[in-house]
Amino acid sequence: KIKSDEESWSYVYPLSENVTFKHPYRDSNEGVVYDKKGRTLLTGLEWLTRNSNDSIAVFAKEGYRGYLNVNTGKVVINADKYTEAYVFSEGRALALTADSVYILNVEGKAVGKPFKNNVNFNTDIRCFHGGYLPMVGEDGKMGLVDVDAHWALEPEYDHITYAIEQYWLARKDEIHADGEYSEGVPASATILDSSLRVILQGDWSYVWITREEGFFVAGADRVCHSDSYLLDCNPEGADR
């Protein structure tokens, strides 16, 4: 039964005209989803979130992740398989088990074959951007996959970042023998556009992609280069 005291809820999140999510002040598994008539649809939630542009929300319950339709309140994917899961974007979502990484469609079905849940799966980008998502291959290297779970950019990079709405930055970093990344040591960096066409490529320690001024890159000598001119960078600027 939904608590009648509205002040006992710290989080009241209208998911749609028909469905609302509430969660109490303290951290707990007492989150509730209910409809506009006050009928309880789902209980025992630790949290729930979604992409504001999508009709599917992801929630956590009893250590697992599931998905529900925010317009109907019906569960699309039960919380009984995936231990990590992320919001839908461009009709796809990323979900993980202990040994596999899945790309799901809005019907809750896996698209293509699952990828191995590599111990190096540490990408900070868990959503599709312009039809692509960073993914880790069998050997721990990163590439980009498309919405059909096919490799669009082969997994041969140490890190991939999405930058300024339409560009990808892919790096092959120099690494010390102890496994630590060597700050300031030249590394191979590739800037790609939204079609994965190579814009710039070179051995650079630092790369900036700015909306106002375009691309700036610098080697260990802290000299910045752009596609139009050359300028000196001060150490403080080079570290940003």
Side-chain angles (χ1 to χ4, degrees):
K1 183 178 179 179
I2 299 172
K3 298 179 182 180
S4 58
D5 181 8
E6 291 295 326
E7 293 184 356
S8 66
W9 301 96
S10 65
Y11 188 69
V12 180
Y13 184 10
L15 301 173
S16 66
E17 293 182 0
N18 301 315
V19 180
T20 298
F21 171 61
K22 286 187 175 183
H23 198 277
Y25 278 105
R26 61 189 179 280
D27 292 334
S28 70
N29 58 354
E30 298 180 19
V32 176
V33 175
Y34 63 97
D35 65 17
K36 63 182 179 181
K37 294 183 178 180
R39 294 176 298 193
T40 300
L41 304 175
L42 193 62
T43 62
L45 303 190
E46 298 166 25
W47 52 259
L48 178 150
T49 190
R50 67 163 176 146
N51 185 329
S52 60
N53 298 321
D54 205 281
S55 62
I56 306 296
V58 58
F59 63 87
K61 181 174 181 176
E62 297 177 354
Y64 289 93
R65 309 291 185 261
Y67 292 87
L68 63 81
N69 186 300
V70 300
N71 296 314
T72 65
K74 293 183 179 179
V75 173
V76 177
I77 302 174
N78 290 321
D80 56 9
K81 178 178 180 178
Y82 302 112
T83 54
E84 288 185 56
Y86 300 88
V87 296
F88 269 84
S89 57
E90 302 181 15
R92 297 290 187 267
L94 189 69
L96 288 72
T97 62
D99 56 6
S100 299
V101 179
Y102 296 84
I103 295 176
L104 307 177
N105 62 22
V106 294
E107 297 175 344
K109 297 179 180 179
V111 177
K113 295 181 179 180
F115 298 89
K116 180 181 178 181
N117 190 353
N118 194 292
V119 293
N120 294 325
F121 189 81
N122 60 356
T123 172
D124 54 0
I125 304 174
R126 305 297 175 96
C127 296
F128 277 87
H129 293 280
Y132 302 112
L133 172 76
M135 184 63 65
V136 180
E138 291 283 338
D139 62 354
K141 297 292 185 179
M142 294 184 66
L144 293 173
V145 296
D146 60 21
V147 294
D148 295 318
H150 298 147
W151 288 108
L153 183 68
E154 291 298 317
E156 56 186 38
Y157 300 92
D158 293 303
H159 191 69
I160 295 179
T161 302
Y162 183 70
I164 315 300
E165 300 173 355
Q166 59 180 333
Y167 296 106
W168 293 96
L169 172 61
R171 297 185 61 111
K172 296 179 181 179
D173 290 294
E174 293 290 338
I175 303 178
H176 291 303
D178 59 5
E180 295 295 326
Y181 286 93
S182 47
E183 184 73 18
V185 174
S188 173
T190 302
I191 300 172
L192 306 103
D193 66 11
S194 58
S195 299
L196 304 189
R197 181 172 61 96
V198 175
I199 302 298
L200 289 174
Q201 189 173 45
D203 293 334
W204 305 310
S205 300
Y206 307 94
V207 178
W208 301 268
I209 303 177
T210 67
R211 183 177 289 104
E212 297 80 11
E213 301 180 63
F215 313 119
F216 292 88
V217 297
D221 58 1
R222 297 185 183 276
V223 175
C224 282
H225 307 263
S226 76
D227 54 355
S228 59
Y229 57 92
L230 178 67
L231 69 159
D232 291 329
C233 290
N234 60 54
E236 290 76 20
D239 286 337
R240 287 201 298 270

